[in-house]
Every structure is written in structure tokens, then in C-alpha cells.
């Protein structure tokens, strides 16, 4: 077989879409995309860039803004009241990690046949369906002196004088608020883990049991690599939520007694003090901190799961390799076809290879 014939055979083996492009269908798709994209630009990206511009000004809602450069950003990291609110995020970060770990444990247990598993799934997910303001009022009465928590502890034998003030004592009040957040979002995180675990092929567990793997080894080598994407997503969502905690400290304590988080303080500066420029700078700083934390978390998770592979990575690499070979074969076939085109000479057709 000559070079021309082999190239022609290779070109025939390469799949090629011969169907004409439907411009009418593409036009309909574009028209349907214009409205949501326009809404996204008008109500999300445009206000965001305007907020970034406001962060360089000293301004109120009414009045002439005054350009101050980086002064607002410097104030965030030099004022003790603003810098202290960033430290409160550490409480919520610890709570977020506890929440993810507990949700992963419960999801691993409830993903398999467990008596009453459906009831526990619904019961754990129910708090997430309740409005955040309502949860704030629930825990406000729950922690109030002499109410629910104190009454339950007195039934267990504790004297009321020995119990702390759950919302006033600065040694414990932030942990009390963190617990309310963990209680609310635990079910959501658990359901995401359950969905990821149940998508893993059951034959992997059977093969592992035949090889003598115990439950911990199955969790380490099958479940964790299989839910890597959802695990990273849950950690990112938990850390992001911990940095922007607002509802619990705002509703339960109104930010009093050292419970005002960065978001609560930003709301006070923006609306009560009407320092729009400083509040905008705080929002920009919070966004940068969230992006940095997400990047660090992704790098750490990538390092921890560097040897884990559920088959997706190999399939993706193989698909890229096949696509690269297909394009290379197409280019070679086109090149050979161009050089092997017939040439008319002295009234007769001859091949260019002659």
C-alpha cells in the first residue's frame, strides 16, 4: 500500500461531523442566554466593580465622595476593632472542619443499609430547611439564662449558679454561636456526601472484601478517592461560610460581648455609621481572603490526594491523548492528500508521486 493510500485509509477512520450547522438553533440558544447573562452583568458584576471603586473613597450614601486612596484598606488592618473581627473567623473555621468531619462520618454510616437510615437523613437535613432568622431566634431562647439549655442541665443535676452565661461569657459565647451554625448546615453537608458515596460502584466494596480489606481500608482507598471532588467542595463552602458568618451573631447577640464577626461589623459600618467607602474596602478584603483560603485548601487537598485515583484522571488523560493523535492524523492526511493531487501533463493525468 502506497503512502497516499494509507493516508486515505487513515482519513476515513477519523470521525468527522458532516452535519451542517443549524444557525437557527444556535440563534435560539443565544437569545435564551442573553437575558440571564444581562441580569448577571447588571446585578452582579457591575455593582461589584462599582463597590471596588467606592473602596478608594471616603463617602456616605448622600454627599460628595472624597478620594483617599488606600487609606480604607490600611484602616482595616490597623484598627483593633476591625482586626479583631477577623480573628473571630477562626472559631467558625474550627467549627466548619468539625462539621465536615462529622458529616462525612454520618454519611459513611447512612450510605449503607442502616436501620432507620431514612428517618435520620430527614431529621439531620431538616434544620437546613429552616430560615436562618428563625434559627437565630430559636437559639437565642435556647441559650437565654434560665431557659431551655439551663433547664435541661439542671435536670441532669447541675446548679444554675454553676452554669455560665452562654451568650455573655466571652470564653464560651462564640463557641455557642458556632454550634448553632454547625447544627444548621450539618445536614446539607451530609446529604452531599451521601450522594457522592452512593455513586461509587458497589463492586469495588465486594472486591475489597474478597481481598480482606476492613472498613477503614475501604473508606481510605475507595470512599475518599471516590468523593474527592465533593469533599473539596464541602470544605470550600464551609470555609467560605465561616469567613462570612452573619445570621447567627447578628440575630442571637447583635454582635455584642465580642461576638461581632467581620460581616456584622461591616454591616454596622455601612448602614449605621454610613461609611460606605470603608465597608466596601472590607468587602473587597473579605473576597481576597476567601480566594486565598480556597487556593490554599485546594493545594493542600491536591497534595493529600496526589496518589488517589478513581479512574477519572486516567480517562481524562487518555481522552486528551486520543484527541491529540486524531488531530495529528488529520493534519497528515490533509498534507498527503494535497501532495498526491493529480496533475494534468500533455493531455494526460499523472500522479504527483510519478
Amino acid at each position: 500500500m502506497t503512502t497516499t493510500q494509507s493516508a486515505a485509509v487513515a482519513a476515513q477512520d477519523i470521525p468527522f461531523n458532516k452535519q451542517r450547522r443549524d444557525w437557527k438553533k444556535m440563534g435560539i440558544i443565544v437569545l435564551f442566554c442573553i437575558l440571564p447573562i444581562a441580569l448577571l452583568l447588571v446585578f452582579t458584576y457591575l455593582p461589584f466593580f462599582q463597590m471596588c471603586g467606592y473602596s478608594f473613597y471616603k463617602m456616605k450614601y448622600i454627599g460628595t465622595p472624597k478620594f483617599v486612596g488606600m487609606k480604607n484598606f490600611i484602616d482595616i488592618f490597623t484598627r483593633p476593632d476591625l482586626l479583631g473581627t477577623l480573628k473571630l473567623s477562626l472559631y467558625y473555621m474550627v467549627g466548619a472542619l468539625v462539621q465536615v468531619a462529622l458529616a462525612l462520618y454520618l454519611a459513611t454510616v447512612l450510605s449503607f443499609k442502616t436501620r432507620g437510615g431514612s428517618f435520620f437523613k430527614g431529621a439531620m437535613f431538616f434544620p437546613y430547611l429552616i430560615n436562618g432568622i428563625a434559627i437565630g431566634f430559636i437559639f437565642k431562647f435556647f441559650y437565654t439564662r434560665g431557659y431551655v439549655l439551663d433547664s435541661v442541665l439542671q435536670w441532669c443535676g447541675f446548679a444554675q449558679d454553676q452554669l455560665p452565661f452562654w451568650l455573655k461569657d466571652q470564653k464560651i459565647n462564640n463557641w455557642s454561636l458556632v454550634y448553632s451554625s454547625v447544627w444548621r448546615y450539618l445536614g446539607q453537608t451530609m446529604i452531599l456526601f451521601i450522594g457522592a458515596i452512593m455513586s461509587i460502584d458497589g463492586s469495588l466494596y465486594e472486591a475489597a472484601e474478597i481481598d480482606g480489606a476492613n472498613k477503614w481500608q475501604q473508606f481510605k482507598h475507595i470512599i475518599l478517592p471516590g468523593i474527592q471532588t465533593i469533599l473539596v467542595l464541602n470544605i470550600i463552602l464551609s470555609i467560605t461560610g465561616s469567613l462570612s458568618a452573619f445570621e447567627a451573631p447578628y440575630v442571637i447577640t447583635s454582635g455584642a460581648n465580642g461576638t461581632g464577626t467581620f460581616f456584622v461589623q461591616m454591616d454596622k459600618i455601612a448602614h449605621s455609621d454610613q461609611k460606605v467607602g470603608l465597608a466596601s474596602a472590607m468587602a473587597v478584603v473579605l473576597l481576597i481572603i476567601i480566594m486565598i483560603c480556597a487556593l490554599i485548601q485546594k493545594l493542600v487537598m491536591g497534595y493529600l490526594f496526589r496518589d488517589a485515583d478513581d479512574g477519572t484522571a486516567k480517562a481524562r488523560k487518555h481522552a486528551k491523548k486520543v484527541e491529540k493523535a486524531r488531530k495529528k492524523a488529520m493534519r497528515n492526511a490533509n498534507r498527503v492528500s494535497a501532495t498526491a493531487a493529480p496533475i494534468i501533463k500533455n493531455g494526460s493525468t499523472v500522479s504527483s508521486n510519478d
Side-chain angles (χ1 to χ4, degrees):
M1 182 180 292
T2 61
T3 307
T4 304
Q5 293 174 338
S6 61
V9 173
Q12 292 177 357
D13 294 337
I14 298 174
F16 182 74
N17 186 10
K18 298 181 180 180
Q19 186 177 1
R20 297 182 62 183
R21 183 167 295 178
D22 191 346
W23 294 103
K24 183 178 179 181
K25 185 182 294 185
M26 290 188 62
I28 294 174
I29 295 174
V30 171
L31 288 176
F32 273 98
C33 291
I34 286 177
L35 182 59
I37 292 176
L39 292 174
L40 184 67
L41 291 174
V42 172
F43 294 103
T44 301
Y45 290 104
L46 182 60
F48 169 74
F49 288 113
Q50 287 181 339
M51 182 193 68
C52 293
Y54 294 157
S55 63
F56 297 100
Y57 288 86
K58 181 181 180 181
M59 57 182 296
K60 295 184 177 181
Y61 290 106
I62 299 176
T64 304
K66 178 182 177 182
F67 182 79
V68 294
M70 300 295 294
K71 184 178 183 303
N72 291 328
F73 294 94
I74 296 175
D75 289 343
I76 295 174
F77 296 100
T78 54
R79 287 179 50 173
D81 57 333
L82 299 182
L83 190 61
T85 58
L86 287 174
K87 297 179 181 179
L88 293 182
S89 300
L90 298 177
Y91 289 96
Y92 293 88
M93 283 187 180
V94 173
L97 296 178
V98 173
Q99 170 191 317
V100 172
L102 186 58
L104 181 57
Y105 171 76
L106 294 174
T108 305
V109 174
L110 296 176
S111 295
F112 301 95
K113 292 183 180 180
T114 306
R115 181 177 299 178
S118 299
F119 170 78
F120 283 108
K121 291 176 186 177
M124 296 298 296
F125 185 71
F126 179 73
Y128 180 71
L129 302 177
I130 306 176
N131 183 269
I133 305 299
I135 290 180
F137 280 109
I138 290 172
F139 276 92
K140 185 174 184 178
F141 287 103
F142 181 77
Y143 287 126
T144 300
R145 187 70 167 180
Y147 276 69
V148 181
L149 183 57
D150 286 354
S151 299
V152 172
L153 292 177
Q154 288 179 47
W155 294 343
C156 296
F158 292 93
Q160 184 172 342
D161 297 338
Q162 299 175 346
L163 298 176
F165 288 87
W166 305 103
L167 298 179
K168 292 183 179 181
D169 189 353
Q170 296 189 11
K171 296 180 180 179
I172 198 173
N173 55 4
N174 283 297
W175 292 116
S176 301
L177 298 180
V178 168
Y179 171 77
S180 66
S181 297
V182 171
W183 180 81
R184 181 187 180 190
Y185 294 104
L186 178 64
Q188 178 207 20
T189 309
M190 183 192 70
I191 291 298
L192 291 176
F193 279 137
I194 289 176
I197 294 173
M198 294 183 68
S199 66
I200 299 175
D201 189 1
S203 61
L204 296 176
Y205 301 109
E206 298 176 1
E209 290 179 357
I210 293 174
D211 292 337
N214 54 33
K215 295 298 181 181
W216 166 249
Q217 292 172 336
Q218 293 179 26
F219 174 80
K220 181 179 179 181
H221 297 288
I222 298 177
I223 295 179
L224 276 183
I227 64 171
Q228 177 183 354
T229 303
I230 301 299
L231 179 61
V232 173
L233 174 64
N234 277 331
I235 294 178
I236 290 177
L237 292 177
S238 299
I239 292 178
T240 302
S242 65
L243 290 171
S244 57
F246 176 73
E247 291 178 342
Y250 183 80
V251 177
I252 299 176
T253 63
S254 300
N257 301 316
T259 59
T261 59
F262 191 78
F263 217 98
V264 173
Q265 190 70 14
M266 182 171 61
D267 175 78
K268 177 179 178 297
I269 289 175
H271 299 117
S272 300
D273 302 339
Q274 292 194 12
K275 296 181 179 180
V276 181
L278 181 57
S280 300
M282 293 177 67
V284 174
V285 169
L286 181 62
L287 175 63
I288 295 174
I289 293 174
I290 290 175
M291 293 176 64
I292 293 174
C293 290
L295 178 61
I296 294 174
Q297 179 268 332
K298 189 172 183 179
L299 293 175
V300 171
M301 297 301 294
Y303 175 77
L304 295 177
F305 288 96
R306 62 189 183 278
D307 297 327
D309 183 20
D310 59 351
T312 305
K314 289 184 179 179
R316 190 181 296 113
K317 290 181 181 179
H318 180 70
K320 290 182 179 179
K321 187 176 181 180
V322 171
E323 180 66 17
K324 186 177 180 180
R326 190 190 71 83
K327 292 181 179 179
K328 184 177 180 181
M330 179 68 78
R331 288 194 299 267
N332 293 335
N334 293 335
R335 190 181 302 113
V336 173
S337 299
T339 57
I343 301 175
I344 300 176
K345 185 178 182 180
N346 296 331
S348 60
T349 303
V350 297
S351 175
S352 61
N353 292 331
D354 296 339

